[in-house]
Amino acid sequence: MDRPDAAPDEVDRIVDAWEAERPDLDVEPLRIFSRVHRLARHLDRARRRAFEAHDLELWEFDVLSALRRAGAPYELTPGRLIAETLVSSGTMTNRIDRMSARRLVARRSSDDDRRIVLVSLTSDGKERVDAAMAGLLDRERALLAGLSAGERDSLAEMLRAVLRPFDAPAATRPEGHPS
């Protein structure tokens, strides 16, 4: 168990079972990453519900929020959207097509170079992503309500440290890193 005063959770049960079955293994990483994995699944479900309330899919929110974060005039190239959302070019083309059909985004040629395509946020897309973001933050703030400000800061810093190698350019990743 992580803390003597903490009630056991599902991960404690899993770790205890592995320790009993395979005492030769150091299962310490399971205490952390099994919780991260379970939390990610719960957060994914919560995010999907938050976005459904605004008639958006999770992937639509990802694209719309990348455009919104870009600032006025809220447009990016498909290549930049691929980099922001970590999907393939074929997947992005399909997403842009579907979102364009729903009038959440629009395509246009660049004024400077007609060969460059820009994807822009429509007024409906902007309204939906803004409302979905506000709803998401309300839900996520409630999930963190049991932590003090200092605990939230510490958790954010610890997660940053674990994620840093994954987000680093391939050339600077530690040798043998699984990302």
Side-chain angles (χ1 to χ4, degrees), residues 116-152:
I116 297 174
V117 173
L118 295 170
V119 179
S120 58
L121 199 54
T122 64
S123 59
D124 187 38
K126 184 175 181 279
E127 286 175 21
R128 286 202 209 186
V129 73
D130 283 353
M133 185 63 174
L136 174 66
L137 290 173
D138 287 344
R139 287 174 186 254
E140 290 184 349
R141 197 172 290 107
L143 293 172
L144 296 171
L147 300 176
S148 70
E151 289 171 325
R152 291 190 304 271

Side-chain angles (χ1 to χ4, degrees), residues 56 59-68 74-76 78 81 92-108 117-126 128-129:
L56 291 175
W59 60 266
E60 289 174 316
F61 178 82
D62 286 345
V63 173
L64 294 176
S65 65
L67 291 167
R68 182 66 167 101
Y74 311 113
E75 60 187 15
L76 295 169
L81 285 170
M92 184 53 66
T93 298
N94 179 274
R95 289 179 176 185
I96 293 168
D97 289 344
R98 291 170 65 187
M99 294 175 72
S100 181
R102 293 190 62 202
R103 294 184 170 86
L104 299 172
V105 300
R107 281 190 182 96
R108 71 173 188 85
V117 173
L118 295 170
V119 179
S120 58
L121 199 54
T122 64
S123 59
D124 187 38
K126 184 175 181 279
R128 286 202 209 186
V129 73

